[in-house]
Coordinates of all heavy atoms in Angstrom, one line a residue:
M388 N 18.9 -47.5 27.1 CA 18.9 -46.7 25.9 C 17.8 -45.7 26.0 O 16.7 -46.0 26.3 CB 18.8 -47.5 24.6 CG 18.7 -46.7 23.4 SD 18.5 -47.7 21.9 CE 19.9 -47.2 21.0
N389 N 18.1 -44.4 25.8 CA 17.1 -43.3 25.9 C 16.5 -43.1 24.5 O 17.2 -42.8 23.5 CB 17.7 -42.0 26.4 CG 16.7 -40.9 26.6 OD1 15.6 -41.1 26.4 ND2 17.2 -39.8 27.2
T390 N 15.2 -43.4 24.3 CA 14.5 -43.3 23.0 C 13.4 -42.2 23.1 O 12.4 -42.4 22.4 CB 13.9 -44.6 22.6 OG1 13.0 -45.0 23.6 CG2 15.0 -45.7 22.5
Q391 N 13.7 -41.1 23.8 CA 12.7 -40.1 23.8 C 12.6 -39.4 22.4 O 13.5 -39.1 21.8 CB 13.1 -39.0 24.8 CG 12.9 -39.4 26.3 CD 13.3 -38.3 27.2 OE1 14.2 -37.5 26.9 NE2 12.6 -38.3 28.3
A392 N 11.3 -39.2 22.0 CA 11.1 -38.6 20.8 C 11.0 -37.0 21.0 O 10.7 -36.6 22.0 CB 9.8 -39.1 20.2
F393 N 11.3 -36.3 19.9 CA 11.2 -34.9 19.9 C 9.7 -34.5 20.0 O 8.9 -35.2 19.4 CB 11.7 -34.2 18.7 CG 13.2 -34.0 18.7 CD1 13.8 -33.4 17.5 CD2 14.0 -34.3 19.7 CE1 15.1 -33.2 17.5 CE2 15.4 -34.0 19.7 CZ 15.9 -33.5 18.6
G394 N 9.3 -33.5 20.7 CA 8.0 -32.9 20.6 C 7.9 -32.0 19.4 O 8.9 -31.8 18.7
D395 N 6.7 -31.4 19.3 CA 6.5 -30.5 18.1 C 7.5 -29.3 18.2 O 8.1 -28.9 17.1 CB 5.1 -29.9 18.1 CG 4.1 -31.0 17.7 OD1 4.5 -32.1 17.2 OD2 2.9 -30.8 18.0
K396 N 7.7 -28.7 19.3 CA 8.6 -27.6 19.5 C 10.0 -27.9 19.1 O 10.7 -27.2 18.3 CB 8.6 -27.0 20.9 CG 9.5 -25.8 21.1 CD 9.4 -25.3 22.6 CE 10.3 -24.2 22.8 NZ 10.2 -23.7 24.2
E397 N 10.5 -29.0 19.6 CA 11.9 -29.5 19.3 C 12.1 -29.8 17.8 O 13.1 -29.5 17.2 CB 12.3 -30.6 20.2 CG 12.4 -30.3 21.6 CD 11.1 -30.3 22.4 OE1 10.1 -30.8 21.8 OE2 11.0 -29.8 23.5
T398 N 11.0 -30.5 17.3 CA 11.1 -30.8 15.8 C 11.1 -29.6 15.0 O 11.9 -29.5 14.0 CB 9.9 -31.7 15.5 OG1 9.9 -32.9 16.3 CG2 9.9 -32.1 14.0
L399 N 10.3 -28.6 15.3 CA 10.2 -27.4 14.5 C 11.6 -26.6 14.6 O 12.1 -26.1 13.6 CB 9.1 -26.5 14.9 CG 8.7 -25.4 14.0 CD1 8.5 -25.8 12.6 CD2 7.4 -24.7 14.5
N400 N 12.1 -26.5 15.8 CA 13.4 -25.9 16.0 C 14.5 -26.6 15.2 O 15.4 -26.0 14.7 CB 13.7 -25.7 17.5 CG 13.0 -24.6 18.1 OD1 12.7 -23.6 17.4 ND2 12.6 -24.7 19.4
D401 N 14.4 -27.9 15.2 CA 15.4 -28.7 14.4 C 15.3 -28.5 12.9 O 16.3 -28.3 12.2 CB 15.2 -30.2 14.7 CG 16.3 -31.1 14.1 OD1 17.5 -30.8 14.4 OD2 16.0 -31.9 13.3
F402 N 14.1 -28.4 12.4 CA 13.8 -28.0 11.0 C 14.4 -26.6 10.7 O 15.1 -26.5 9.7 CB 12.4 -28.0 10.7 CG 11.7 -29.3 10.6 CD1 10.3 -29.4 10.7 CD2 12.4 -30.5 10.6 CE1 9.7 -30.6 10.6 CE2 11.8 -31.7 10.5 CZ 10.4 -31.8 10.5
I403 N 14.2 -25.7 11.6 CA 14.8 -24.3 11.4 C 16.3 -24.4 11.3 O 16.9 -23.8 10.4 CB 14.3 -23.3 12.5 CG1 12.8 -23.1 12.3 CG2 15.0 -22.0 12.4 CD1 12.1 -22.4 13.4
A404 N 16.9 -25.1 12.3 CA 18.4 -25.2 12.3 C 18.9 -25.9 11.0 O 19.9 -25.4 10.4 CB 18.8 -26.0 13.5
S405 N 18.2 -26.9 10.6 CA 18.6 -27.6 9.3 C 18.4 -26.6 8.1 O 19.3 -26.6 7.3 CB 17.7 -28.8 9.1 OG 17.9 -29.7 10.1
Q406 N 17.4 -25.8 8.1 CA 17.2 -24.9 7.0 C 18.3 -23.8 6.9 O 18.8 -23.4 5.9 CB 15.9 -24.2 7.0 CG 14.7 -25.1 6.5 CD 14.9 -25.6 5.1 OE1 14.9 -26.8 4.9 NE2 15.2 -24.7 4.2
K407 N 18.8 -23.4 8.1 CA 19.9 -22.5 8.2 C 21.2 -23.1 7.6 O 21.9 -22.4 6.8 CB 20.1 -22.1 9.6 CG 19.1 -21.2 10.2 CD 19.4 -20.8 11.7 CE 18.3 -19.9 12.3 NZ 18.6 -19.6 13.7
M408 N 21.4 -24.4 7.9 CA 22.6 -25.0 7.4 C 22.5 -25.2 5.8 O 23.4 -25.0 5.1 CB 22.8 -26.4 8.1 CG 23.3 -26.2 9.5 SD 23.9 -27.7 10.3 CE 22.5 -28.8 10.1
I409 N 21.3 -25.6 5.4 CA 21.1 -25.8 4.0 C 21.3 -24.5 3.2 O 21.9 -24.5 2.2 CB 19.7 -26.4 3.7 CG1 19.6 -27.8 4.2 CG2 19.3 -26.3 2.2 CD1 18.2 -28.4 4.3
S410 N 20.7 -23.4 3.7 CA 20.8 -22.1 3.1 C 22.2 -21.7 3.0 O 22.7 -21.1 2.0 CB 20.0 -21.1 3.8 OG 18.6 -21.4 3.7
S411 N 23.0 -21.9 4.1 CA 24.4 -21.5 4.1 C 25.2 -22.3 3.0 O 26.0 -21.7 2.3 CB 25.0 -21.8 5.5 OG 26.3 -21.6 5.5
A412 N 24.9 -23.6 2.9 CA 25.6 -24.4 1.9 C 25.3 -23.9 0.5 O 26.2 -23.7 -0.4 CB 25.2 -25.8 2.0
Y413 N 24.0 -23.6 0.2 CA 23.6 -23.1 -1.2 C 24.2 -21.7 -1.4 O 24.6 -21.4 -2.6 CB 22.1 -23.2 -1.4 CG 21.6 -24.5 -1.8 CD1 20.8 -25.3 -1.0 CD2 22.0 -25.1 -3.0 CE1 20.3 -26.5 -1.3 CE2 21.5 -26.3 -3.4 CZ 20.7 -27.0 -2.6 OH 20.3 -28.3 -2.9
N414 N 24.3 -20.9 -0.4 CA 24.9 -19.6 -0.5 C 26.3 -19.8 -1.0 O 26.8 -19.1 -1.9 CB 24.8 -18.8 0.8 CG 25.2 -17.4 0.6 OD1 24.7 -16.7 -0.2 ND2 26.2 -17.0 1.4
T415 N 27.1 -20.7 -0.3 CA 28.5 -20.9 -0.7 C 28.6 -21.5 -2.1 O 29.4 -21.0 -2.9 CB 29.1 -21.9 0.3 OG1 29.0 -21.3 1.6 CG2 30.5 -22.2 0.0
F416 N 27.7 -22.4 -2.4 CA 27.8 -23.0 -3.8 C 27.6 -21.9 -4.8 O 28.3 -21.9 -5.8 CB 26.7 -24.1 -3.9 CG 26.8 -25.3 -3.0 CD1 25.6 -26.0 -2.8 CD2 27.9 -25.6 -2.4 CE1 25.7 -27.1 -1.9 CE2 28.0 -26.7 -1.6 CZ 26.9 -27.5 -1.3
A417 N 26.6 -21.1 -4.6 CA 26.3 -20.0 -5.6 C 27.4 -19.0 -5.7 O 27.8 -18.6 -6.8 CB 25.0 -19.3 -5.2
G418 N 28.0 -18.7 -4.6 CA 29.1 -17.7 -4.6 C 30.3 -18.2 -5.2 O 31.1 -17.4 -5.7
E419 N 30.5 -19.5 -5.2 CA 31.8 -20.1 -5.7 C 31.6 -20.9 -7.0 O 32.5 -21.6 -7.4 CB 32.4 -20.9 -4.6 CG 32.8 -20.2 -3.4 CD 33.3 -21.0 -2.2 OE1 33.5 -22.2 -2.4 OE2 33.6 -20.4 -1.2
C420 N 30.5 -20.7 -7.7 CA 30.2 -21.5 -8.9 C 30.7 -20.7 -10.1 O 30.5 -19.5 -10.3 CB 28.7 -21.7 -9.0 SG 28.3 -22.8 -10.3
V421 N 31.5 -21.4 -11.0 CA 32.0 -20.8 -12.2 C 31.0 -20.8 -13.3 O 30.9 -19.8 -14.1 CB 33.3 -21.6 -12.6 CG1 33.8 -21.0 -13.9 CG2 34.3 -21.5 -11.5
C422 N 30.1 -21.8 -13.4 CA 29.1 -21.9 -14.4 C 27.9 -21.0 -14.1 O 27.2 -21.2 -13.1 CB 28.7 -23.4 -14.5 SG 27.4 -23.7 -15.7
E423 N 27.7 -20.1 -15.0 CA 26.6 -19.1 -14.8 C 25.2 -19.8 -14.7 O 24.4 -19.4 -13.8 CB 26.5 -18.0 -15.9 CG 27.7 -17.0 -15.8 CD 27.7 -16.2 -14.5 OE1 26.6 -15.9 -13.9 OE2 28.8 -16.0 -14.0
G424 N 25.0 -20.8 -15.5 CA 23.7 -21.5 -15.5 C 23.5 -22.2 -14.1 O 22.4 -22.2 -13.5
L425 N 24.5 -22.9 -13.7 CA 24.5 -23.6 -12.4 C 24.3 -22.6 -11.3 O 23.6 -22.8 -10.3 CB 25.7 -24.5 -12.2 CG 25.7 -25.4 -11.1 CD1 24.5 -26.3 -11.1 CD2 27.0 -26.3 -11.1
R426 N 25.0 -21.5 -11.3 CA 24.9 -20.4 -10.3 C 23.5 -20.0 -10.2 O 22.9 -19.8 -9.1 CB 25.9 -19.3 -10.6 CG 25.7 -18.1 -9.6 CD 26.5 -16.9 -9.8 NE 27.9 -17.3 -9.5 CZ 29.0 -17.1 -10.2 NH1 28.8 -16.4 -11.3 NH2 30.2 -17.4 -9.8
S427 N 22.9 -19.7 -11.4 CA 21.5 -19.3 -11.4 C 20.6 -20.3 -10.7 O 19.7 -20.0 -10.0 CB 21.0 -19.0 -12.8 OG 19.7 -18.7 -12.9
D428 N 20.8 -21.6 -11.0 CA 20.0 -22.7 -10.4 C 20.2 -22.7 -8.9 O 19.2 -22.8 -8.1 CB 20.4 -24.1 -10.9 CG 20.0 -24.3 -12.4 OD1 19.1 -23.5 -12.9 OD2 20.6 -25.2 -13.0
F429 N 21.5 -22.5 -8.4 CA 21.7 -22.5 -7.0 C 21.0 -21.3 -6.3 O 20.5 -21.4 -5.2 CB 23.2 -22.4 -6.7 CG 24.0 -23.7 -6.8 CD1 25.2 -23.8 -7.4 CD2 23.4 -24.9 -6.4 CE1 25.9 -24.9 -7.5 CE2 24.1 -26.1 -6.5 CZ 25.4 -26.1 -7.0
L430 N 21.0 -20.2 -7.0 CA 20.3 -19.0 -6.4 C 18.8 -19.2 -6.4 O 18.2 -18.7 -5.4 CB 20.7 -17.7 -7.3 CG 22.1 -17.2 -7.1 CD1 22.4 -16.1 -8.1 CD2 22.4 -16.8 -5.7
N431 N 18.3 -19.9 -7.4 CA 16.8 -20.1 -7.3 C 16.5 -21.1 -6.2 O 15.5 -20.9 -5.5 CB 16.4 -20.7 -8.7 CG 16.3 -19.7 -9.7 OD1 16.1 -18.5 -9.5 ND2 16.5 -20.1 -11.0
I432 N 17.3 -22.1 -6.0 CA 17.2 -23.1 -4.9 C 17.3 -22.3 -3.6 O 16.5 -22.5 -2.6 CB 18.1 -24.2 -5.0 CG1 17.8 -25.1 -6.2 CG2 18.1 -25.1 -3.7 CD1 18.9 -26.1 -6.6
L433 N 18.3 -21.5 -3.5 CA 18.5 -20.7 -2.3 C 17.3 -19.8 -1.9 O 16.9 -19.8 -0.7 CB 19.8 -19.8 -2.4 CG 20.1 -18.9 -1.2 CD1 20.4 -19.7 0.0 CD2 21.3 -18.0 -1.6
K434 N 16.7 -19.2 -2.9 CA 15.5 -18.4 -2.7 C 14.4 -19.3 -2.1 O 13.7 -19.0 -1.2 CB 15.0 -17.8 -4.0 CG 13.8 -16.9 -3.8 CD 13.4 -16.3 -5.1 CE 12.1 -15.5 -4.9 NZ 11.5 -15.0 -6.1
D435 N 14.2 -20.5 -2.7 CA 13.2 -21.5 -2.2 C 13.5 -21.9 -0.8 O 12.6 -21.9 0.1 CB 13.2 -22.7 -3.1 CG 12.6 -22.5 -4.5 OD1 12.0 -21.4 -4.7 OD2 12.8 -23.3 -5.4
E436 N 14.8 -22.1 -0.5 CA 15.2 -22.5 0.9 C 14.9 -21.4 1.9 O 14.5 -21.7 3.0 CB 16.6 -23.0 0.9 CG 16.9 -24.2 0.1 CD 16.1 -25.5 0.5 OE1 15.8 -25.6 1.7 OE2 15.9 -26.3 -0.3
H437 N 15.1 -20.2 1.5 CA 14.8 -19.1 2.4 C 13.3 -19.0 2.6 O 12.9 -18.6 3.8 CB 15.4 -17.7 1.8 CG 16.8 -17.5 2.1 ND1 17.3 -17.2 3.3 CD2 17.9 -17.5 1.3 CE1 18.6 -17.1 3.3 NE2 19.0 -17.3 2.0
G438 N 12.5 -19.3 1.6 CA 11.1 -19.3 1.8 C 10.6 -20.3 2.8 O 9.8 -20.1 3.6
I439 N 11.2 -21.5 2.7 CA 10.9 -22.6 3.6 C 11.3 -22.2 5.0 O 10.5 -22.4 6.0 CB 11.6 -23.9 3.2 CG1 11.0 -24.4 1.9 CG2 11.5 -25.0 4.3 CD1 11.9 -25.5 1.2
Q440 N 12.5 -21.6 5.2 CA 12.9 -21.2 6.5 C 12.0 -20.1 7.1 O 11.7 -20.2 8.3 CB 14.4 -20.7 6.4 CG 14.9 -20.3 7.8 CD 16.4 -19.8 7.7 OE1 17.1 -20.1 6.7 NE2 16.8 -19.0 8.7
A441 N 11.6 -19.2 6.2 CA 10.7 -18.2 6.7 C 9.3 -18.8 7.2 O 8.8 -18.3 8.2 CB 10.4 -17.1 5.6
E442 N 8.8 -19.7 6.4 CA 7.6 -20.4 6.8 C 7.7 -21.1 8.2 O 6.9 -21.0 9.1 CB 7.1 -21.4 5.8 CG 6.6 -20.8 4.5 CD 6.2 -21.8 3.5 OE1 5.9 -22.9 3.9 OE2 6.3 -21.5 2.3
L443 N 8.8 -21.8 8.3 CA 9.1 -22.5 9.6 C 9.2 -21.5 10.8 O 8.7 -21.7 11.8 CB 10.3 -23.4 9.5 CG 10.3 -24.6 8.6 CD1 11.6 -25.2 8.3 CD2 9.3 -25.6 9.1
F444 N 10.0 -20.4 10.5 CA 10.2 -19.4 11.6 C 8.8 -18.8 11.9 O 8.5 -18.7 13.1 CB 11.1 -18.3 11.1 CG 11.0 -17.1 12.0 CD1 11.7 -17.1 13.2 CD2 10.3 -16.0 11.6 CE1 11.6 -16.0 14.0 CE2 10.2 -14.9 12.4 CZ 10.8 -14.9 13.6
N445 N 8.0 -18.5 10.9 CA 6.7 -17.8 11.2 C 5.8 -18.8 12.0 O 5.1 -18.3 13.0 CB 6.0 -17.4 9.9 CG 6.7 -16.2 9.3 OD1 7.3 -15.4 9.9 ND2 6.5 -16.1 8.0
E446 N 5.9 -20.1 11.7 CA 5.1 -21.0 12.5 C 5.5 -21.1 13.9 O 4.7 -21.1 14.9 CB 5.1 -22.4 11.8 CG 4.3 -23.4 12.5 CD 2.8 -23.1 12.5 OE1 2.3 -22.5 11.5 OE2 2.1 -23.5 13.4
A447 N 6.8 -21.2 14.1 CA 7.4 -21.3 15.5 C 7.1 -20.0 16.2 O 6.7 -20.0 17.4 CB 8.9 -21.5 15.4
N448 N 7.2 -18.8 15.5 CA 7.0 -17.5 16.2 C 5.5 -17.4 16.6 O 5.2 -16.9 17.7 CB 7.4 -16.4 15.2 CG 7.3 -15.1 15.9 OD1 6.3 -14.4 15.8 ND2 8.4 -14.6 16.4
C449 N 4.6 -17.8 15.7 CA 3.2 -17.8 16.0 C 2.8 -18.6 17.2 O 1.9 -18.3 18.0 CB 2.3 -18.2 14.8 SG 2.3 -17.0 13.5
R450 N 3.5 -19.7 17.4 CA 3.3 -20.6 18.6 C 4.0 -20.1 19.8 O 3.9 -20.8 20.9 CB 3.7 -22.0 18.2 CG 2.9 -22.6 17.1 CD 3.4 -24.0 16.8 NE 2.6 -24.6 15.7 CZ 2.5 -25.9 15.6 NH1 3.0 -26.8 16.4 NH2 1.8 -26.4 14.5
G451 N 4.8 -19.1 19.7 CA 5.5 -18.6 20.9 C 6.8 -19.4 21.2 O 7.4 -19.3 22.2
W452 N 7.3 -20.2 20.2 CA 8.4 -21.0 20.4 C 9.7 -20.4 19.9 O 10.8 -21.0 20.1 CB 8.2 -22.4 19.7 CG 7.1 -23.2 20.2 CD1 6.5 -23.0 21.4 CD2 6.5 -24.3 19.6 NE1 5.5 -24.0 21.6 CE2 5.5 -24.7 20.4 CE3 6.6 -24.9 18.4 CZ2 4.6 -25.8 20.1 CZ3 5.8 -25.9 18.0 CH2 4.8 -26.4 18.9
Y453 N 9.6 -19.3 19.2 CA 10.8 -18.6 18.6 C 10.6 -17.1 18.6 O 10.3 -16.5 17.6 CB 11.1 -19.1 17.2 CG 12.5 -18.9 16.7 CD1 13.2 -20.0 16.2 CD2 13.1 -17.7 16.6 CE1 14.5 -19.9 15.7 CE2 14.3 -17.6 16.1 CZ 15.0 -18.7 15.6 OH 16.3 -18.5 15.1
A454 N 10.6 -16.6 19.8 CA 10.2 -15.2 20.0 C 11.4 -14.3 19.6 O 12.6 -14.7 19.9 CB 9.8 -14.9 21.4
V455 N 11.2 -13.2 19.0 CA 12.2 -12.2 18.7 C 11.9 -10.9 19.5 O 10.8 -10.6 19.7 CB 12.3 -12.0 17.2 CG1 12.8 -13.2 16.5 CG2 11.0 -11.5 16.7
K456 N 13.0 -10.3 19.9 CA 12.9 -9.1 20.6 C 12.8 -7.9 19.6 O 13.7 -7.9 18.7 CB 14.1 -8.9 21.5 CG 14.2 -7.6 22.3 CD 15.5 -7.6 23.1 CE 15.8 -6.2 23.4 NZ 17.2 -6.0 24.0
Q457 N 11.9 -7.0 19.8 CA 11.8 -5.9 18.9 C 12.8 -4.8 19.3 O 13.0 -4.5 20.5 CB 10.4 -5.2 19.0 CG 9.3 -6.2 18.5 CD 9.4 -6.5 17.1 OE1 9.7 -5.6 16.2 NE2 9.1 -7.7 16.7
A458 N 13.5 -4.3 18.3 CA 14.6 -3.3 18.5 C 13.9 -2.0 18.8 O 12.9 -1.6 18.1 CB 15.5 -3.2 17.4
P459 N 14.4 -1.2 19.8 CA 13.8 0.1 20.0 C 14.1 1.0 18.8 O 15.1 0.9 18.2 CB 14.6 0.6 21.3 CG 15.1 -0.6 21.9 CD 15.4 -1.6 20.8
A460 N 13.2 1.9 18.6 CA 13.3 2.8 17.4 C 14.5 3.6 17.5 O 15.2 3.9 16.4 CB 12.0 3.7 17.3
A461 N 15.0 4.0 18.6 CA 16.2 4.8 18.8 C 17.4 4.1 18.3 O 18.3 4.6 17.6 CB 16.4 5.3 20.2
E462 N 17.5 2.8 18.6 CA 18.6 1.9 18.1 C 18.6 1.7 16.6 O 19.6 1.7 15.9 CB 18.6 0.6 18.8 CG 19.0 0.7 20.3 CD 19.0 -0.7 20.9 OE1 19.2 -1.7 20.2 OE2 18.8 -0.8 22.2
I463 N 17.4 1.6 16.0 CA 17.2 1.4 14.6 C 17.7 2.7 13.9 O 18.5 2.6 12.9 CB 15.8 1.1 14.2 CG1 15.4 -0.3 14.7 CG2 15.6 1.2 12.7 CD1 13.9 -0.6 14.6
N464 N 17.3 3.8 14.4 CA 17.7 5.1 13.8 C 19.2 5.3 13.9 O 19.8 5.9 13.0 CB 16.9 6.3 14.4 CG 15.5 6.3 14.0 OD1 15.2 5.8 12.9 ND2 14.6 6.8 14.9
Q465 N 19.8 4.9 15.0 CA 21.2 5.0 15.2 C 22.0 4.2 14.2 O 23.0 4.7 13.6 CB 21.6 4.6 16.6 CG 23.1 4.7 17.0 CD 23.4 4.2 18.4 OE1 22.6 3.5 19.0 NE2 24.6 4.5 18.9
V466 N 21.5 3.0 13.9 CA 22.2 2.1 12.9 C 22.0 2.7 11.5 O 22.9 2.8 10.7 CB 21.6 0.7 13.0 CG1 22.1 -0.1 11.8 CG2 22.0 0.1 14.3
K467 N 20.8 3.2 11.2 CA 20.5 3.9 9.9 C 21.5 5.0 9.7 O 22.1 5.1 8.6 CB 19.1 4.4 9.8 CG 18.1 3.3 9.6 CD 16.7 4.0 9.5 CE 15.6 3.1 9.3 NZ 14.3 3.7 9.3
T468 N 21.6 5.8 10.7 CA 22.5 7.0 10.6 C 23.9 6.6 10.4 O 24.6 7.2 9.6 CB 22.4 7.9 11.9 OG1 21.1 8.3 12.1 CG2 23.3 9.1 11.8
K469 N 24.4 5.5 11.1 CA 25.7 5.0 10.9 C 26.0 4.6 9.5 O 27.1 4.9 8.9 CB 26.0 3.9 11.9 CG 27.3 3.2 11.8 CD 27.5 2.0 12.7 CE 28.8 1.4 12.5 NZ 28.9 0.2 13.3
F470 N 25.1 3.9 8.9 CA 25.3 3.4 7.6 C 25.1 4.4 6.5 O 25.7 4.3 5.4 CB 24.5 2.1 7.3 CG 25.1 0.9 8.0 CD1 24.5 0.4 9.2 CD2 26.3 0.3 7.6 CE1 25.0 -0.6 9.9 CE2 26.8 -0.8 8.3 CZ 26.2 -1.2 9.4
V471 N 24.2 5.4 6.7 CA 24.0 6.4 5.7 C 25.2 7.4 5.7 O 25.6 7.8 4.6 CB 22.7 7.2 6.0 CG1 22.6 8.4 5.2 CG2 21.5 6.2 5.8
S472 N 25.7 7.7 6.9 CA 26.8 8.6 6.9 C 28.2 8.0 6.6 O 29.1 8.6 6.3 CB 26.9 9.2 8.3 OG 27.2 8.3 9.3
G473 N 28.2 6.6 6.7 CA 29.4 5.9 6.3 C 30.5 5.9 7.4 O 31.6 5.5 7.2
S474 N 30.1 6.2 8.7 CA 31.0 6.2 9.8 C 31.0 5.0 10.6 O 30.2 4.2 10.5 CB 30.8 7.4 10.7 OG 29.4 7.5 11.1

């Protein structure tokens, strides 16, 4: 039986993946909720969950475990132009 434990990197990445699933579920709950009060509660929880996910991402990113590629300015401007012009 293989009983290897996750290291810090694997644990943090697992937390991030879990937060993505949790956020997705709360997003669905809020979008499909008939009761306005409950919808508001779901949206507040969703905001909290996004905050947790951002903290986890920032920690992983600071450690070099979840690097993101910076988009070139030309590509950003191209996308902006596309959405502003509506084409």
Side-chain angles (χ1 to χ4, degrees):
M388 176 182 236
N389 188 355
T390 59
Q391 289 181 326
F393 277 180
D395 290 345
K396 180 179 179 179
E397 293 81 15
T398 301
L399 194 51
N400 283 328
D401 186 59
F402 288 164
I403 292 169
S405 295
Q406 281 305 126
K407 288 178 181 181
M408 288 190 303
I409 291 167
S410 294
S411 177
Y413 278 113
N414 186 59
T415 300
F416 299 157
E419 297 178 0
C420 188
V421 175
C422 175
E423 288 298 325
L425 189 54
R426 176 180 288 135
S427 179
D428 290 341
F429 282 141
L430 289 172
N431 287 331
I432 294 169
L433 179 60
K434 181 180 177 188
D435 292 342
E436 296 300 332
H437 278 290
I439 293 167
Q440 183 178 338
E442 288 178 28
L443 292 168
F444 165 78
N445 288 336
E446 184 63 32
N448 187 272
C449 287
R450 294 180 183 205
W452 296 341
Y453 201 123
V455 292
K456 178 182 157 192
Q457 296 295 319
E462 288 182 25
I463 294 170
N464 289 332
Q465 182 181 15
V466 171
K467 283 182 184 179
T468 302
K469 176 183 177 181
F470 286 104
V471 168
S472 67
S474 54

